[in-house]
Amino acid sequence: MSSSLVLSIVIYVYGFAFIFYTSSAIFSKKEITKVGTILSYIALSGNILGFALRWIESYDKGYGHIPLSNLYESLVFFALVIAILYLYLEYRHKKYIISIICSLFCLICMLYASFQTADAIRPLLPALKSNWLTIHVLTCFLGYSGFAVAFALSVLLIMKNALPEKIVKFTEAEIDDLTHQMVSFGFIFLTLGIITGAVWANSAWGSYWTWDPKENWSLITWFVYLAFLHLRFMKGWHGRRLAIVSIIGFLAVMFTYFGVNYLPGLHSYGN
Amino acid sequence: MEKSSNKTSIRQELWNILYEIWNFFASMQLSVVTILFLAITSILGTVIHQSGDSGHNFQHYGPFWFQFFETLDLFDMYHSIWYQAAFLILSINIIVCSIDKLSSTWKIIFKKDSSFSFSKFENLKSNVTFKVPGSLKETELKIKSQFLKLSKNIKEEKVDGRITFYTEKGRKTRLGVYVVHLSILFMIVGGAIGMYFGFEGFVNIPEGKSITKVLSKDRTEIRDLGFELRCDNFDLTLYKNSKMAKEYRSDLVVIENNKEVLKKSIIVNDPLRYKGYNFYQSSYSEISSKPNVMTAVFRSNETGIEYSKKMKIGDKYEIPEGLGTFSVDKYDNYLFRGNSLGDAVFGTIKRDGKKPVEVVVPLDHPQFDMMRNKMKKGKVYVRFTDIDKSFQTGLQVTSDPGVWWVYLGFILLIAGCYITFFMCHRSICISISSNGKKCKVMVSGTANKNKQGMKFWVEKYAGKIENACK
C-alpha cells in the first residue's frame, strides 16, 4: 500500500469526521459525536501511517529523508498535529465544538495538499541535508498547529453569542484559557523553530539571521503572539479583544507558511 | 532661605522629570507599541527588495518613490538607524520594565516565610469538598502524611476546630519571565556586536590555488585573513539517474608560515572554522569548459578485456593487443545528424597501414561509441569516465564575534519560556473540620497562571487525598 493511497483515503475520513461532528451539533445526539470521534482516530492513524510509509518510501528510492521537505509533506504533517491537538482537547474536556472546526482544518490541509501541490518524493537539495531539517521543520509545525487550534478557539469565542448554548458548551472563560494554552504551546515551539533555524543557518551558511522573508515573517508572527501574551498577562486583556489578536497572529502564520513562497529567498524550496 | 527652597523645588522638578521618563520606559504600552512597530516595519523589508542594485530600484520604483525609500533607508532597513533605534528602545524598555516589576515582586519571590489566609482559599470556584468517616485526629494524621509527600515545607493552622494545611510550590518560577527578558537583551547585544564587528565576504578559489585576502560582501573592505587557504580539489556529485546535485565538496588546506596546519573537506552544512573565520561552501563554477583529466576505457571486442588510462587533451596512448594508438584531440559540442548531443570528446585511432578513424564520445551518452562500433563491427570501442573539469569553489567567509551572545540568548530564551509557560507558582490548602462522626475535607489551590490546569490538578489531587483517608 502506498503512502499516497493511504493519504487520499484519509482525506475522506477527515471529511466524514467533520460531517458527523457537525450533524451531532445540529441534532445534539451523543451517538453521532461518538462516530465523529472514532472517525477522527481512524483518520489520525491513517495520517500517521501515511507519513511513516512516505518516510519508508523515500528510503526505498535511495534518498532517505523525513517527509518534511516540501509543501505537500508539511501539510500532511500539519493536519496530523492539528488532529492530535483537537483529539487531546476533546478527550480532556469532553466537548466537541473545537473538533468541528479543527477536523475542517485537517480536511482543508489534506485537500489542498492533494490538489495544489506536487506529491512526488524528490531528493533533498544539498542545503537541506542536515539533521537540523527534522528538528527545525518539526518544531515550526508544532508551533503552527498550536496557533491553528488557538485560531479555531478565537473564532469560536467571537461567534459564541450567535450560537446556541447547548452546542458551544464552553464558557467564555474556558475558551479564553484554552486559547491562551494553545498560544503558549505554539509560541514555545515557534521560538524553538526560529532558534533551530538560526543555529542551522549559522552552521550551514555562516549567518544565523539573514533577514530572508521567511525569517522575517516568522519573526513578525512571533512579535504578534508576544504582544498577545503581554496584553493578556500585563494589560489583563481577554475575551473578544484578545481573540482578535490571536486571529491576526494566525493570519501572520498563514502568510509565513504560504505567502512567503511568492517572495524570493532562502526558503523558496518550501514551494 | 529663598534660594535653598528654590533649589529643592528645582531638585523636585528634576526628580519628577526623571520619574516621568522612568515611567515612560517602564510602561507596557511602550513595549507593545515597539513590538508592533517592529512587526509592521519588518513587513516593508520583505516587500521592498533589500540591499538590491540601486539602478534597478530606481527603474522599478520611479524617481519619487526611489528618493522617498532611499531617504528612509528602506532599501537596507534592517541596518538603518531607525530600525536600530527601535531595538534600542525595546532594550531600555525591557531593562526598566523588568527592574520596575521585579522590585514589586521581589518580596513575593524572596520572602523567608510563607503566609496564607484561609479566606482566600475558601471561596475559590475550583475547591473540591468531600466527607470521610473517622475522627478529626485520625483524618488529620492521614492527610498530613499525604501532604508531606507533596512538600516538606508545610504550614499547619488550628482555628475554631478547623485544621488547615498550607504549602506553596514553585515560587521562584515567577523569575522565568525575567530570564526571557534577559535572553532578549543577550540576543540584541549579540546582534549589535555582529553588525558592528562582524565580517562577511566571498571568495573564489580555483582548484590548486590559494588565497590570503577576502573581499567583503558590500565590496568596501579587503580583509587580510592572516593565513593562507588553498583549495586542493572540488567535487560535484549528482543523485543517481538525476541531474540534481547531491553534494558539493571542497578539499581545503589552511597554511600558516608555509606549514599545512589544517586539512578539511567541506560540504554544504559542514564548514571549516579557523581563527574566528568560517568558510562555507556556497557556490562553484567551471573555470573552463574543457576537462582537466579523464579516464579513457578501451574495450577490445575480441577478448572483451578493458584497458583504462588517465588522459588529457593532446595525450596519446598505445592500446594493447595491437589495437592502435589513441589520441585525444579536442573537446567540443557535437552535432550528430543535425542534432546537438552536447559536449563530447573527439579522438582518433591510428592503426598501422590503415586510415585513421575518428572517435566521438558525447559525455551524456557514454555508450555512443560502443553502439556505433557494434554496427560497424569495429575492433575496439572507447568510453570515458571520471571526467574532471577545472572548477573553482565559491566560499562564503564570515566572522561574527557576537554569535556566542546570541546562542547564550537562545539557551536562556528556551529555559525562560519553559519556566514561564510550563511551571507556575502554586499555593495549596487542605482544611478539615468535623461534625461529630464525619470529617469534611476541602482541597483548594491557586496558581499565578493556567487556572484551568490548576483546577484539573486540584480535582486529581483531591481524589488522591480522599483515597488516602479511606
Side-chain angles (χ1 to χ4, degrees):
Chain A
M1 204 154 44
S2 77
S3 64
S4 44
L5 177 66
V6 174
L7 290 170
S8 8
I9 296 169
V10 166
I11 303 175
Y12 291 97
V13 187
Y14 276 126
F16 280 113
F18 168 67
I19 291 168
F20 275 91
Y21 278 130
T22 316
S23 33
S24 87
I26 295 167
F27 305 114
S28 29
K29 282 256 161 57
K30 265 205 165 156
E31 295 74 30
I32 308 178
T33 323
K34 277 250 166 66
V35 179
T37 309
I38 291 165
L39 284 172
S40 297
Y41 277 108
I42 295 170
L44 174 60
S45 316
N47 205 334
I48 293 169
L49 179 69
F51 185 82
L53 279 175
R54 199 176 161 90
W55 202 342
I56 295 166
E57 281 161 23
S58 99
Y59 271 96
D60 293 343
K61 288 203 169 185
Y63 309 139
H65 59 81
I66 188 169
L68 289 174
S69 69
N70 58 27
L71 191 57
Y72 174 84
E73 293 172 345
S74 70
L75 280 163
V76 169
F77 184 68
F78 194 33
L80 193 159
V81 183
I82 293 177
I84 292 176
L85 287 179
Y86 85 71
L87 283 168
Y88 167 77
L89 287 181
E90 191 184 295
Y91 170 77
R92 186 122 198 218
H93 296 270
K94 310 282 179 239
K95 290 168 191 163
Y96 305 94
I97 184 84
I98 299 304
S99 310
I100 301 177
I101 310 175
C102 289
S103 58
L104 180 63
F105 282 176
C106 293
L107 177 64
I108 293 169
C109 281
M110 297 299 291
L111 275 176
Y112 187 80
S114 62
F115 291 126
Q116 287 297 317
T117 63
D119 67 344
I121 299 177
R122 295 178 52 81
L124 278 182
L125 296 169
L128 292 180
K129 280 177 102 194
S130 165
N131 291 330
W132 287 105
L133 173 73
T134 311
I135 184 118
H136 171 60
V137 183
L138 207 72
T139 46
C140 282
F141 277 92
L142 285 171
Y144 290 177
S145 315
F147 294 139
V149 179
F151 169 74
L153 287 157
S154 300
V155 170
L156 177 67
L157 194 141
I158 284 174
M159 293 186 351
K160 191 177 177 296
N161 292 338
L163 295 168
E165 185 69 27
K166 62 176 182 185
I167 290 179
V168 179
K169 287 181 181 161
F170 282 109
T171 65
E172 189 171 314
E174 278 174 327
I175 301 174
D176 206 58
D177 208 62
L178 283 176
T179 312
H180 167 242
Q181 272 182 33
M182 284 297 141
V183 167
S184 305
F185 174 87
F187 188 79
I188 199 159
F189 279 106
L190 179 65
T191 308
L192 279 172
I194 294 174
I195 288 175
T196 50
V199 174
W200 181 15
N202 192 43
S203 74
W205 301 299
S207 175
Y208 55 85
W209 198 263
T210 50
W211 301 104
D212 150 86
K214 194 111 179 170
E215 289 175 352
N216 271 341
W217 271 95
S218 66
L219 186 68
I220 291 163
T221 310
W222 195 78
F223 278 145
V224 175
Y225 284 107
L226 192 67
F228 175 99
L229 293 169
H230 281 82
L231 287 169
R232 184 184 160 95
F233 280 128
M234 307 308 298
K235 296 251 97 185
W237 278 33
H238 58 88
R240 281 180 99 87
R241 279 204 290 183
L242 203 59
I244 288 165
V245 182
S246 148
I247 288 169
I248 294 170
F250 190 65
L251 294 180
V253 170
M254 285 291 97
F255 196 81
T256 313
Y257 193 177
F258 298 107
V260 172
N261 290 333
Y262 301 104
L263 301 168
L266 273 177
H267 285 80
S268 40
Y269 36 67
N271 209 333
Chain B
M1 275 300 275
E2 218 184 308
K3 233 184 185 178
S4 93
S5 90
N6 216 354
K7 230 179 185 174
T8 18
S9 87
I10 287 172
R11 193 177 288 166
Q12 191 62 40
E13 195 69 6
L14 213 67
W15 270 117
N16 282 343
I17 292 169
L18 280 176
Y19 185 70
E20 287 290 313
I21 294 173
W22 179 268
N23 275 347
F24 171 74
F25 278 110
S27 77
M28 203 53 228
Q29 276 96 331
L30 182 67
S31 329
V32 173
V33 166
T34 316
I35 288 168
L36 292 179
F37 174 80
L38 284 169
I40 292 162
T41 51
S42 298
I43 297 174
L44 285 180
T46 64
V47 181
I48 299 167
H49 189 62
Q50 294 294 298
S51 308
D53 175 42
S54 42
H56 173 261
N57 285 337
F58 187 83
Q59 278 192 342
H60 193 261
Y61 295 104
F64 173 75
W65 288 109
F66 177 78
Q67 196 56 46
F68 183 72
F69 289 167
E70 186 78 16
T71 316
L72 290 177
D73 252 342
L74 285 178
F75 292 121
D76 192 18
M77 59 163 280
Y78 302 117
H79 301 104
S80 69
I81 292 288
W82 57 266
Y83 201 71
Q84 288 177 53
F87 271 104
L88 185 67
I89 290 173
L90 188 67
S91 310
I92 297 171
N93 181 223
I94 290 171
I95 296 168
V96 175
C97 177
S98 299
I99 294 172
D100 206 64
K101 284 275 167 325
L102 197 55
S103 61
S104 65
T105 48
W106 191 265
K107 276 184 191 151
I108 304 177
I109 300 170
F110 293 105
K111 67 182 169 189
K112 285 222 175 79
D113 206 24
S114 317
S115 61
F116 304 94
S117 86
F118 185 68
S119 58
K120 260 193 183 170
F121 290 98
E122 204 178 4
N123 298 317
L124 289 174
K125 267 189 190 166
S126 58
N127 288 352
V128 179
T129 315
F130 54 85
K131 283 184 177 147
V132 287
S135 73
L136 191 61
K137 191 75 205 153
E138 240 176 275
T139 315
E140 185 199 342
L141 283 173
K142 280 178 186 164
I143 287 178
K144 192 175 180 179
S145 71
Q146 188 66 29
F147 203 47
L148 275 167
K149 284 181 196 161
L150 185 70
S151 164
K152 292 232 155 56
N153 193 10
I154 65 172
K155 225 177 171 185
E156 202 170 343
E157 185 184 82
K158 288 183 184 175
V159 189
D160 311 331
R162 188 191 68 224
I163 300 165
T164 317
F165 297 109
Y166 303 99
T167 193
E168 60 175 336
K169 286 185 86 81
R171 208 201 287 163
K172 294 217 168 64
T173 61
R174 282 178 186 265
L175 286 171
V177 68
Y178 303 104
V179 177
V180 173
H181 285 176
L182 191 66
S183 77
I184 307 281
L185 290 177
F186 270 107
M187 288 189 274
I188 292 175
V189 168
I193 292 175
M195 204 169 131
Y196 289 106
F197 304 107
F199 175 80
E200 203 178 343
F202 186 84
V203 69
N204 280 317
I205 315 177
E207 285 175 309
K209 297 270 164 42
S210 63
I211 54 106
T212 55
K213 291 186 177 81
V214 178
L215 179 67
S216 72
K217 209 177 178 184
D218 55 10
R219 295 166 188 279
T220 55
E221 187 195 344
I222 296 174
R223 181 67 73 100
D224 195 341
L225 296 174
F227 54 86
E228 203 179 328
L229 186 69
R230 193 177 70 212
C231 172
D232 281 347
N233 187 32
F234 174 84
D235 268 325
L236 168 69
T237 338
L238 302 175
Y239 278 102
K240 260 186 208 167
N241 313 320
S242 160
K243 285 210 157 179
M244 263 182 87
K246 186 179 183 185
E247 190 180 270
Y248 313 111
R249 176 189 291 271
S250 302
D251 301 333
L252 299 180
V253 185
V254 177
I255 302 158
E256 221 172 354
N257 305 321
N258 296 320
K259 265 189 207 156
E260 294 187 357
V261 277
L262 185 64
K263 265 190 173 181
K264 185 175 167 127
S265 298
I266 64 161
I267 54 175
V268 178
N269 283 329
D270 186 18
L272 165 76
R273 298 176 199 276
Y274 189 71
K275 290 213 162 162
Y277 287 101
N278 309 307
F279 299 91
Y280 298 86
Q281 184 67 60
S282 159
S283 66
Y284 73 96
S285 45
E286 281 175 24
I287 297 177
S288 73
S289 57
K290 282 178 186 158
N292 218 2
V293 192
M294 54 202 137
T295 307
V297 181
F298 304 92
R299 190 188 164 100
S300 159
N301 238 353
E302 213 174 277
T303 58
I305 298 170
E306 289 193 344
Y307 306 97
S308 57
K309 169 80 181 159
K310 273 202 170 169
M311 297 182 85
K312 278 190 261 184
I313 287 172
D315 282 1
K316 280 186 178 159
Y317 175 61
E318 178 89 41
I319 314 167
E321 300 183 27
L323 293 168
T325 310
F326 179 77
S327 60
V328 186
D329 299 334
K330 61 173 183 175
Y331 182 78
D332 208 346
N333 185 34
Y334 179 50
L335 285 173
F336 181 67
R337 290 175 190 161
N339 296 315
S340 170
L341 288 184
D343 289 334
V345 182
F346 290 74
T348 333
I349 295 180
K350 276 185 192 152
R351 218 168 295 150
D352 293 334
K354 290 205 171 165
K355 245 174 98 182
V357 183
E358 193 193 36
V359 179
V360 187
V361 183
L363 298 187
D364 291 343
H365 309 276
Q367 307 293 326
F368 190 78
D369 190 50
M370 183 183 82
M371 293 189 320
R372 213 158 62 154
N373 256 308
K374 271 202 175 147
M375 287 188 283
K376 289 186 180 171
K377 302 221 158 52
K379 289 194 164 176
V380 62
Y381 73 83
V382 190
R383 65 191 156 89
F384 292 97
T385 59
D386 301 327
I387 295 159
D388 189 12
K389 292 178 185 172
S390 275
F391 285 106
Q392 60 178 6
T393 182
L395 301 178
Q396 186 170 350
V397 185
T398 65
S399 105
D400 186 351
V403 74
W404 298 112
W405 287 79
V406 176
Y407 276 22
L408 188 61
F410 286 168
I411 293 167
L412 288 176
L413 180 59
I414 294 169
C417 278
Y418 182 81
I419 297 168
T420 313
F421 291 127
F422 297 123
M423 294 165 99
C424 55
H425 180 194
R426 294 177 298 174
S427 303
I428 303 123
C429 153
I430 303 180
S431 79
I432 316 156
S433 53
S434 178
N435 65 346
K437 279 191 174 175
K438 279 188 171 177
C439 285
K440 194 178 144 199
V441 180
M442 183 195 83
V443 180
S444 170
T446 59
N448 64 332
K449 54 201 165 208
N450 191 11
K451 311 271 185 232
Q452 193 68 27
M454 189 63 194
K455 194 181 153 201
F456 283 124
W457 187 88
V458 168
E459 279 167 16
K460 220 169 136 188
Y461 192 66
K464 219 172 173 181
I465 295 285
E466 197 173 358
N467 272 335
C469 290
K470 274 174 190 163

